[in-house]
Amino acid sequence: MNNSESLSKEFMFRAIELAKKGEGRTNPNPLVGAVIVKNGQIIGEGWHHAYGELHAERDALKDCYQRGQNPEGATIYVTLEPCCHFGKQPPCTHALVESKIAHVVVGSRDPNPLVHGKGNAYLREHGVLVSEDFCREECDSLNPIFFHYISTKMPFVALKYAMTLDGKIATKTGESKWISGEKSREFVHVLRNRYAGILAGIGTVLSDDPMLNCRLTNENGELTGRNPVRIICDSDLKIPLESKIVRTAKEIPTIVACVGLVRGEAGEKSFQEKKAALENAGVEVIELKGENHRGLLARAKEMRLDNPKPQVNLYELMKILGEKKIDSVLIEGGGAINFSALESKIVNKIYAFVAPKIFGGAAKSPVGGEGVNLPKDAFGFKIKKVSQIGEDVLLELAGSTSL
């Protein structure tokens, strides 16, 4: 039964607003908000604050009781179908039934096989009125990362880059600071807080020595963001031990992905010594089977190399990261790794910042590699959102396989 005619979007929009408060803290769980309403008034609010903590429904009930309110006979608006299984927390469906909530208004349906349809069914079996799909589009927009990860066990991958009007990511001398404006650079830290991992290639580390951390602050200048897991693709462990990434690896989780068959010029002993030194510094080293991408083979042909070194297999790396419950990855690399990601078909979303500047010349573009031969072979994306951030324009594009 759906009683959406008598429902108020105001309360569901408030639940959505509350859900966003958990951004960066709930991974790999979804963002969820809940609002309890009785006689047209809000008597309790809650959201999922962080992974392992109370789910939104139980948080809202807790708030309700703390206000001295009785939820019996009330309506609860929740952005995602209530869970009905035991995980880090007990089932929310049980709490709703026990509190004698009369009506549950659900926004998104949970694709998790442990929950999908079962949460709503449990409530109905226990005499609770359930309205489904209320403001579903708005609620679905909260959790593209969770929906993708729970369905595929692979991280939701976003590609981020800033370029000029003529498609350059640096000048002809290699200078790139700064292409985008201050507001755009601030938004990048919002993204770093949102995504569980941030990935870059060894070229970025060697040229820029970045921290790849989150520097979100509040109005008082206090750090409020969560640092993503840093992931560096470094086939033969060239990363310097004195780099900022390595020196802070005990403070910020750091993974270096290399190719198990590549041992560098000094051989196996040197490789193992470097690996041990990195692990002693707090870095997790993952060895993968290498893959010769078309872009790598093209460069090798130009340089007349008969046996080019294999590169990190990004698809296999994503599978491993998924197993580690890293549900999302933001790629902040150069043209080579961007092309490899596109070629590997792992990119779900693109954030393209376009600055009102022109560099000209033969400077680098956001995507390098061999490139495609024909227009019909282009990597296809759909524009989902266009917004202005400071003086820049931000294009948000989704892949055809994205939810």
Side-chain angles (χ1 to χ4, degrees):
M1 179 177 178
N2 193 310
N3 192 34
S4 61
E5 291 79 14
S6 62
L7 303 181
S8 171
K9 289 186 177 181
E10 174 189 352
F11 298 128
M12 186 61 86
F13 288 168
R14 174 58 181 164
I16 291 171
E17 183 182 347
L18 291 167
K20 293 177 181 178
K21 291 177 177 285
E23 191 167 74
R25 300 293 195 283
T26 66
N27 312 65
N29 281 355
L31 297 171
V32 187
V35 171
I36 302 174
V37 179
K38 195 171 186 179
N39 298 322
Q41 300 296 318
I42 293 176
I43 62 171
E45 296 184 332
W47 69 93
H48 186 30
H49 291 244
Y51 179 69
E53 295 186 10
L54 287 177
H55 289 183
E57 299 92 323
R58 287 181 177 270
D59 192 49
L61 286 169
K62 177 182 176 182
D63 180 54
C64 182
Y65 294 130
Q66 287 177 339
R67 296 186 189 196
Q69 298 290 331
N70 182 0
E72 182 176 354
T75 295
I76 185 170
Y77 290 77
V78 60
T79 58
L80 184 69
E81 179 180 0
C83 67
C84 53
H85 68 289
F86 285 87
K88 292 283 185 180
Q89 294 289 330
C92 291
T93 50
H94 291 191
L96 294 173
V97 170
E98 290 166 4
S99 66
K100 298 183 180 179
I101 288 280
H103 189 181
V104 177
V105 183
V106 177
S108 297
R109 303 195 186 200
D110 194 333
N112 186 344
L114 295 174
V115 180
H116 185 63
K118 299 174 184 176
N120 292 340
Y122 179 91
L123 293 170
R124 290 189 176 109
E125 289 167 3
H126 288 78
V128 180
L129 173 65
V130 178
S131 297
E132 298 176 311
D133 302 331
F134 187 67
C135 300
R136 181 171 178 175
E137 184 176 348
E138 293 87 349
C139 291
D140 283 355
S141 68
L142 282 170
N143 289 302
I145 288 173
F146 173 73
F147 291 163
H148 175 82
Y149 178 69
I150 202 68
S151 302
T152 67
K153 306 303 179 186
M154 295 275 282
F156 182 94
V157 178
L159 199 62
K160 188 279 297 179
Y161 56 80
M163 66 180 184
T164 60
L165 286 173
D166 54 339
K168 309 298 185 184
I169 60 171
T171 65
K172 63 181 181 180
T173 62
E175 292 296 321
S176 60
K177 294 184 179 178
W178 295 103
I179 291 176
S180 58
E182 184 178 352
K183 292 294 183 182
S184 294
R185 298 196 298 275
E186 289 175 0
F187 183 71
V188 168
H189 291 282
V190 173
L191 296 179
R192 290 182 180 183
N193 178 66
R194 181 179 302 167
Y195 286 80
I198 182 170
L199 183 146
I202 184 58
T204 297
V205 176
L206 295 176
S207 62
D208 299 337
D209 192 23
M211 274 288 286
L212 298 179
N213 60 345
C214 177
R215 297 188 288 278
L216 269 185
T217 59
N218 58 22
E219 60 272 12
N220 298 321
E222 301 167 328
L223 290 172
T224 57
R226 171 207 43 86
N227 287 319
V229 177
R230 301 177 302 190
I231 306 148
I232 307 301
C233 290
D234 180 13
S235 295
D236 47 4
L237 294 187
K238 291 181 180 179
I239 189 168
L241 295 177
E242 64 274 13
S243 65
K244 292 177 183 175
I245 293 284
V246 175
R247 286 192 286 110
T248 57
K250 289 183 178 179
E251 303 164 20
I252 304 174
T254 303
I255 294 171
V256 171
C258 64
V259 176
L261 298 177
V262 177
R263 290 296 183 256
E265 296 177 359
E268 174 72 20
K269 182 178 179 181
S270 175
F271 181 91
Q272 292 299 339
E273 288 176 349
K274 182 65 172 290
K275 179 182 177 183
L278 289 171
E279 291 175 337
N280 186 58
V283 175
E284 179 182 357
V285 179
I286 297 177
E287 294 188 51
L288 298 104
K289 182 179 179 181
E291 179 175 78
N292 284 323
H293 288 286
R294 289 189 298 124
L296 172 68
L297 294 174
R299 291 193 298 277
K301 185 177 180 180
E302 291 176 3
M303 299 173 64
R304 298 182 180 179
L305 297 176
D306 295 328
N307 186 28
K309 290 181 180 179
Q311 302 296 293
V312 169
N313 185 318
L314 291 179
Y315 186 84
E316 292 301 318
L317 176 58
M318 291 304 121
K319 288 171 61 176
I320 292 172
L321 296 179
E323 292 169 0
K324 292 178 176 293
K325 294 188 176 181
I326 296 176
D327 65 358
S328 51
V329 173
L330 179 67
I331 298 179
E332 291 193 36
I337 202 163
N338 289 351
F339 181 77
S340 294
L342 290 165
E343 191 178 35
S344 300
K345 294 181 170 58
I346 62 170
V347 179
N348 303 104
K349 183 165 186 173
I350 293 178
Y351 297 94
F353 295 88
V354 183
K357 304 172 183 177
I358 293 177
F359 286 168
K364 295 179 180 179
S365 65
V367 180
E370 182 186 16
V372 300
N373 294 320
L374 300 170
K376 68 179 180 63
D377 298 327
F379 304 107
F381 288 82
K382 294 181 179 180
I383 296 176
K384 292 294 185 179
K385 185 178 180 182
V386 180
S387 52
Q388 184 167 350
I389 300 183
E391 295 184 351
D392 305 326
V393 171
L394 172 60
L395 302 177
E396 296 184 43
L397 306 98
S400 57
T401 59
S402 300
L403 293 175

